Amino acid sequence: MSEPDDVILGIDLGTTNSLIAWADDRGPRIVRGEGTDGVLPSVIGFEPGDGRIVVGAEARAHAVERPETTVFSVKRLMGRGLADVAEEVPWLPYRLVQRRSDDHHRDIAAVEVHGRVYTPPELSAMILRELKQQAEEQLGRPVRRAVITTPAYFDDAQRQATRDAGRIAGLDVVRIVNEPTAAALAYGLDLAERACIAVYDLGGGTFDVSILQLRDRVFEVLSTRGNTHLGGDDFDRELIKLLQDEIRQQHGQHIHFPPSTQQAFRRFAEAAKIRLSTDAQATVEIDLGGGRLYQRTITREEFEDRIEPWVQETVVCCCRALADAELEPKDLDQVILVGGSTRVPLVRRRVEQLFGRAPYTALNPEEVVALGAAVQASILAGTRRDLLLLDVTPLSLGIETMGGAVSKLILRNTTIPCESDEMFTTFVDGQTNVKIHVVQGERELAADCRSLGQFELRGVPAMPAGMAKIKVTFLIDANGILDVSAIEQRSGTEASIQIIPAHGLTPEEVDRMELASYEHAREDMLAHRLVDLRNQVEFDTTKTEQMLAKVGSHIDAGQRDSIVRAMQQLRTLAAQTHDPERLHQELDAFGKLTVRLAELAVAQTLKEQPE
Ligand code: ADP
Ligand code: MG
């Protein structure tokens, strides 16, 4: 028997990418190997010459050039016979062979490289071994047990093959969990009373949607639909087609693209696609040799036109899955997005339209399955999860405002679900981007709080400082998931972010953060007041400068000089003093000194206005 406190890993063994995570009482987190983002491409390369085996990004980089010795999409072969995978063959350039299973009962599909035959579990084990090693390096101790996820539609043979892969990699697979169930666990949805959840998973080469029902802490898959050949790779191919067709048009139909260039095209296309998830356009530059440079800017609209049919097909699958489960969109309590390709804005829009609600996106869609596997692992290991169970917000939530102060929108101990909003404005003339930094904690300065995330409201029309009307709304739903949105009301410009505030905190930390707020209460109050006064000094002196430029010539030189001097002194004081009272007095005095100037400026403005 293993020791009860032994860590159990959570593993997402994906068709395109694999990840590993673990959880403690702070919640789940991804294990990131040294210098990586934790995402391991599920690709195995057999090097030419020595036959050395490489796993991950390095293998993927040579996939197109070395089609026969680079093995990818092993997941498609798990637990299948050669006849079952006949339709996969055109997609897999490496050599597939038939083999007797270890128990001699069945024929299974296997892969032959350099004259050696590898079974799919053996190949998957190479990926698992790499992940296990990364986890052991990061945790600093050996680990043996793991929860591994599989698609909901996997049959017994496919699940068994996944278990075998774990065993070959030296892992004790304590449970196989459905990927959609893992996604729901990652969001803590098992803690709800009962719920109907749709999980929409669009990865690199596969799509599936599952409708789950939760009752008494147990998830049941009501229905699942999908297409095992639909995913981000199709989006890449659309872009590759666009680029190659255009290059042929410009430089001659005869142009041939050898494998090495194909690899480059794939890289360019994927990079452009990823950029288009955040930017309105992406530029691709390809050196065609012979001094010919091909450059092309692709807009998001253009990209969306091309991929719309693929996205539409996923929508049709969702409708079928709902029909199979005898449900309508309104019967669903939550929709969860899974898979890297759900970062594509068009995909999000279509999912939202179809289900009539904003899907959960608080967790990184590429990581959510591994995180959920880790949650399942921690439940099996008996780790506490009390923070997610709370029905009140344990700590206050707010945003950073000008000068580093915090404006709290939801106070500690507020019962959830809850909602709160507040108006903010811009501080600089012509400011078009506004950063919204979401923080958690009881202290008055953002630097003393816990940063939960940030986003930018972009494209606010230029207007004078203080004119923009930005409404920031905090909404926490019954599952403790926070949605922060900002809308500039004059223009309708909008942006938002979703966060799980309870992730990454232990109950002890919550107590400590609360205590710190009492200990620092006075000091914090002074600091906050100082920030407010500094902002006011900045505002008033900038305004005075503008007035001097406009009507300064209408007052006598002596008065002008004394205003300029007072302005400099006030700014120096603001930068140096820690005494809010003194700054307040000086600010008042400055206000009195500039009364006449302000009157003149107002009179001038009125004069300039059209009748
Ligand atoms: P799988 O579950 O099939 O292993 P993933 O969930 O890791 O796959 O998704 C991989 C796919 O997500 C790839 O096609 C990749 O290009 C795509 N992808 C990753 N990040 C983004 C992004 N920011 N925008 C659009 N697509 C992305
Ligand atoms: Mg996946």
Side-chain angles (χ1 to χ4, degrees), residues 244-259:
Q244 295 189 342
D245 286 353
E246 221 172 74
I247 290 174
R248 288 205 173 100
Q249 268 167 27
Q250 289 175 11
H251 300 277
Q253 295 298 332
H254 61 279
I255 289 196
H256 172 70
F257 301 104

PDB file of all heavy atoms in Angstrom, residues 244-259:
ATOM      1  N   GLN A 244      -0.675  29.632 -49.678  1.00  0.00           N
ATOM      2  CA  GLN A 244      -0.073  28.954 -50.833  1.00  0.00           C
ATOM      3  C   GLN A 244      -0.792  29.293 -52.142  1.00  0.00           C
ATOM      4  O   GLN A 244      -0.148  29.488 -53.168  1.00  0.00           O
ATOM      5  CB  GLN A 244      -0.032  27.444 -50.587  1.00  0.00           C
ATOM      6  CG  GLN A 244       0.900  27.113 -49.413  1.00  0.00           C
ATOM      7  CD  GLN A 244       1.165  25.628 -49.249  1.00  0.00           C
ATOM      8  OE1 GLN A 244       0.434  24.790 -49.764  1.00  0.00           O
ATOM      9  NE2 GLN A 244       2.211  25.295 -48.510  1.00  0.00           N
ATOM     10  N   ASP A 245      -2.123  29.387 -52.079  1.00  0.00           N
ATOM     11  CA  ASP A 245      -2.856  29.756 -53.295  1.00  0.00           C
ATOM     12  C   ASP A 245      -2.411  31.124 -53.790  1.00  0.00           C
ATOM     13  O   ASP A 245      -2.221  31.337 -54.983  1.00  0.00           O
ATOM     14  CB  ASP A 245      -4.369  29.779 -53.029  1.00  0.00           C
ATOM     15  CG  ASP A 245      -4.929  28.373 -52.905  1.00  0.00           C
ATOM     16  OD1 ASP A 245      -4.166  27.419 -53.156  1.00  0.00           O
ATOM     17  OD2 ASP A 245      -6.121  28.238 -52.547  1.00  0.00           O
ATOM     18  N   GLU A 246      -2.245  32.026 -52.833  1.00  0.00           N
ATOM     19  CA  GLU A 246      -1.891  33.387 -53.213  1.00  0.00           C
ATOM     20  C   GLU A 246      -0.463  33.467 -53.738  1.00  0.00           C
ATOM     21  O   GLU A 246      -0.175  34.175 -54.701  1.00  0.00           O
ATOM     22  CB  GLU A 246      -2.052  34.289 -51.995  1.00  0.00           C
ATOM     23  CG  GLU A 246      -2.670  35.610 -52.359  1.00  0.00           C
ATOM     24  CD  GLU A 246      -2.995  36.399 -51.118  1.00  0.00           C
ATOM     25  OE1 GLU A 246      -2.067  36.928 -50.482  1.00  0.00           O
ATOM     26  OE2 GLU A 246      -4.183  36.454 -50.784  1.00  0.00           O
ATOM     27  N   ILE A 247       0.438  32.697 -53.134  1.00  0.00           N
ATOM     28  CA  ILE A 247       1.832  32.690 -53.601  1.00  0.00           C
ATOM     29  C   ILE A 247       1.886  32.144 -55.033  1.00  0.00           C
ATOM     30  O   ILE A 247       2.569  32.683 -55.901  1.00  0.00           O
ATOM     31  CB  ILE A 247       2.726  31.850 -52.664  1.00  0.00           C
ATOM     32  CG1 ILE A 247       2.884  32.578 -51.323  1.00  0.00           C
ATOM     33  CG2 ILE A 247       4.086  31.583 -53.291  1.00  0.00           C
ATOM     34  CD1 ILE A 247       3.625  31.818 -50.262  1.00  0.00           C
ATOM     35  N   ARG A 248       1.091  31.114 -55.290  1.00  0.00           N
ATOM     36  CA  ARG A 248       1.067  30.553 -56.642  1.00  0.00           C
ATOM     37  C   ARG A 248       0.513  31.574 -57.638  1.00  0.00           C
ATOM     38  O   ARG A 248       1.004  31.694 -58.757  1.00  0.00           O
ATOM     39  CB  ARG A 248       0.231  29.277 -56.672  1.00  0.00           C
ATOM     40  CG  ARG A 248       0.930  28.107 -55.986  1.00  0.00           C
ATOM     41  CD  ARG A 248       0.427  26.766 -56.515  1.00  0.00           C
ATOM     42  NE  ARG A 248       1.231  25.669 -55.965  1.00  0.00           N
ATOM     43  CZ  ARG A 248       0.834  24.917 -54.934  1.00  0.00           C
ATOM     44  NH1 ARG A 248      -0.332  25.132 -54.351  1.00  0.00           N
ATOM     45  NH2 ARG A 248       1.605  23.948 -54.503  1.00  0.00           N
ATOM     46  N   GLN A 249      -0.512  32.307 -57.213  1.00  0.00           N
ATOM     47  CA  GLN A 249      -1.075  33.323 -58.093  1.00  0.00           C
ATOM     48  C   GLN A 249      -0.043  34.381 -58.443  1.00  0.00           C
ATOM     49  O   GLN A 249       0.049  34.837 -59.573  1.00  0.00           O
ATOM     50  CB  GLN A 249      -2.259  34.020 -57.411  1.00  0.00           C
ATOM     51  CG  GLN A 249      -3.592  33.369 -57.716  1.00  0.00           C
ATOM     52  CD  GLN A 249      -4.667  33.884 -56.777  1.00  0.00           C
ATOM     53  OE1 GLN A 249      -4.574  35.009 -56.283  1.00  0.00           O
ATOM     54  NE2 GLN A 249      -5.661  33.072 -56.523  1.00  0.00           N
ATOM     55  N   GLN A 250       0.737  34.765 -57.441  1.00  0.00           N
ATOM     56  CA  GLN A 250       1.691  35.850 -57.647  1.00  0.00           C
ATOM     57  C   GLN A 250       2.976  35.388 -58.316  1.00  0.00           C
ATOM     58  O   GLN A 250       3.604  36.136 -59.047  1.00  0.00           O
ATOM     59  CB  GLN A 250       2.048  36.507 -56.308  1.00  0.00           C
ATOM     60  CG  GLN A 250       0.897  37.316 -55.740  1.00  0.00           C
ATOM     61  CD  GLN A 250       1.242  37.858 -54.355  1.00  0.00           C
ATOM     62  OE1 GLN A 250       2.382  37.806 -53.905  1.00  0.00           O
ATOM     63  NE2 GLN A 250       0.223  38.376 -53.687  1.00  0.00           N
ATOM     64  N   HIS A 251       3.411  34.170 -58.028  1.00  0.00           N
ATOM     65  CA  HIS A 251       4.730  33.738 -58.486  1.00  0.00           C
ATOM     66  C   HIS A 251       4.700  32.536 -59.414  1.00  0.00           C
ATOM     67  O   HIS A 251       5.729  31.947 -59.698  1.00  0.00           O
ATOM     68  CB  HIS A 251       5.632  33.440 -57.285  1.00  0.00           C
ATOM     69  CG  HIS A 251       5.838  34.620 -56.402  1.00  0.00           C
ATOM     70  ND1 HIS A 251       6.776  35.595 -56.647  1.00  0.00           N
ATOM     71  CD2 HIS A 251       5.187  35.019 -55.281  1.00  0.00           C
ATOM     72  CE1 HIS A 251       6.706  36.527 -55.704  1.00  0.00           C
ATOM     73  NE2 HIS A 251       5.746  36.197 -54.873  1.00  0.00           N
ATOM     74  N   GLY A 252       3.533  32.150 -59.858  1.00  0.00           N
ATOM     75  CA  GLY A 252       3.464  31.039 -60.813  1.00  0.00           C
ATOM     76  C   GLY A 252       2.886  29.780 -60.208  1.00  0.00           C
ATOM     77  O   GLY A 252       3.236  29.407 -59.092  1.00  0.00           O
ATOM     78  N   GLN A 253       1.980  29.162 -60.984  1.00  0.00           N
ATOM     79  CA  GLN A 253       1.271  27.977 -60.496  1.00  0.00           C
ATOM     80  C   GLN A 253       2.200  26.783 -60.279  1.00  0.00           C
ATOM     81  O   GLN A 253       1.868  25.860 -59.553  1.00  0.00           O
ATOM     82  CB  GLN A 253       0.170  27.578 -61.497  1.00  0.00           C
ATOM     83  CG  GLN A 253      -0.938  28.603 -61.639  1.00  0.00           C
ATOM     84  CD  GLN A 253      -1.709  28.835 -60.350  1.00  0.00           C
ATOM     85  OE1 GLN A 253      -1.809  27.948 -59.512  1.00  0.00           O
ATOM     86  NE2 GLN A 253      -2.241  30.030 -60.177  1.00  0.00           N
ATOM     87  N   HIS A 254       3.377  26.843 -60.922  1.00  0.00           N
ATOM     88  CA  HIS A 254       4.276  25.689 -60.858  1.00  0.00           C
ATOM     89  C   HIS A 254       4.977  25.554 -59.514  1.00  0.00           C
ATOM     90  O   HIS A 254       5.567  24.531 -59.231  1.00  0.00           O
ATOM     91  CB  HIS A 254       5.356  25.850 -61.946  1.00  0.00           C
ATOM     92  CG  HIS A 254       6.170  27.085 -61.733  1.00  0.00           C
ATOM     93  ND1 HIS A 254       5.729  28.330 -62.138  1.00  0.00           N
ATOM     94  CD2 HIS A 254       7.362  27.282 -61.104  1.00  0.00           C
ATOM     95  CE1 HIS A 254       6.629  29.238 -61.787  1.00  0.00           C
ATOM     96  NE2 HIS A 254       7.620  28.626 -61.161  1.00  0.00           N
ATOM     97  N   ILE A 255       4.919  26.605 -58.699  1.00  0.00           N
ATOM     98  CA  ILE A 255       5.677  26.562 -57.437  1.00  0.00           C
ATOM     99  C   ILE A 255       5.309  25.327 -56.623  1.00  0.00           C
ATOM    100  O   ILE A 255       4.143  25.032 -56.397  1.00  0.00           O
ATOM    101  CB  ILE A 255       5.461  27.837 -56.600  1.00  0.00           C
ATOM    102  CG1 ILE A 255       6.158  29.008 -57.287  1.00  0.00           C
ATOM    103  CG2 ILE A 255       5.989  27.650 -55.185  1.00  0.00           C
ATOM    104  CD1 ILE A 255       6.351  30.222 -56.422  1.00  0.00           C
ATOM    105  N   HIS A 256       6.343  24.633 -56.198  1.00  0.00           N
ATOM    106  CA  HIS A 256       6.152  23.407 -55.424  1.00  0.00           C
ATOM    107  C   HIS A 256       6.647  23.664 -54.006  1.00  0.00           C
ATOM    108  O   HIS A 256       7.624  24.364 -53.812  1.00  0.00           O
ATOM    109  CB  HIS A 256       6.956  22.275 -56.088  1.00  0.00           C
ATOM    110  CG  HIS A 256       6.983  21.030 -55.267  1.00  0.00           C
ATOM    111  ND1 HIS A 256       5.870  20.248 -55.098  1.00  0.00           N
ATOM    112  CD2 HIS A 256       7.997  20.459 -54.563  1.00  0.00           C
ATOM    113  CE1 HIS A 256       6.202  19.222 -54.311  1.00  0.00           C
ATOM    114  NE2 HIS A 256       7.475  19.330 -53.979  1.00  0.00           N
ATOM    115  N   PHE A 257       5.927  23.140 -53.035  1.00  0.00           N
ATOM    116  CA  PHE A 257       6.345  23.363 -51.639  1.00  0.00           C
ATOM    117  C   PHE A 257       6.846  22.052 -51.038  1.00  0.00           C
ATOM    118  O   PHE A 257       6.054  21.182 -50.695  1.00  0.00           O
ATOM    119  CB  PHE A 257       5.183  23.915 -50.820  1.00  0.00           C
ATOM    120  CG  PHE A 257       4.641  25.219 -51.343  1.00  0.00           C
ATOM    121  CD1 PHE A 257       3.440  25.252 -52.045  1.00  0.00           C
ATOM    122  CD2 PHE A 257       5.329  26.410 -51.151  1.00  0.00           C
ATOM    123  CE1 PHE A 257       2.940  26.451 -52.529  1.00  0.00           C
ATOM    124  CE2 PHE A 257       4.829  27.612 -51.635  1.00  0.00           C
ATOM    125  CZ  PHE A 257       3.628  27.629 -52.329  1.00  0.00           C
ATOM    126  N   PRO A 258       8.167  21.894 -50.943  1.00  0.00           N
ATOM    127  CA  PRO A 258       8.726  20.646 -50.386  1.00  0.00           C
ATOM    128  C   PRO A 258       8.430  20.542 -48.882  1.00  0.00           C
ATOM    129  O   PRO A 258       8.070  21.542 -48.260  1.00  0.00           O
ATOM    130  CB  PRO A 258      10.222  20.786 -50.640  1.00  0.00           C
ATOM    131  CG  PRO A 258      10.471  22.254 -50.708  1.00  0.00           C
ATOM    132  CD  PRO A 258       9.229  22.867 -51.261  1.00  0.00           C
ATOM    133  N   PRO A 259       8.616  19.328 -48.306  1.00  0.00           N
ATOM    134  CA  PRO A 259       8.282  19.115 -46.897  1.00  0.00           C
ATOM    135  C   PRO A 259       8.877  20.140 -45.942  1.00  0.00           C
ATOM    136  O   PRO A 259       8.205  20.585 -45.015  1.00  0.00           O
ATOM    137  CB  PRO A 259       8.848  17.723 -46.613  1.00  0.00           C
ATOM    138  CG  PRO A 259       8.814  17.037 -47.922  1.00  0.00           C
ATOM    139  CD  PRO A 259       9.070  18.087 -48.952  1.00  0.00           C
TER     140      PRO A 259
END
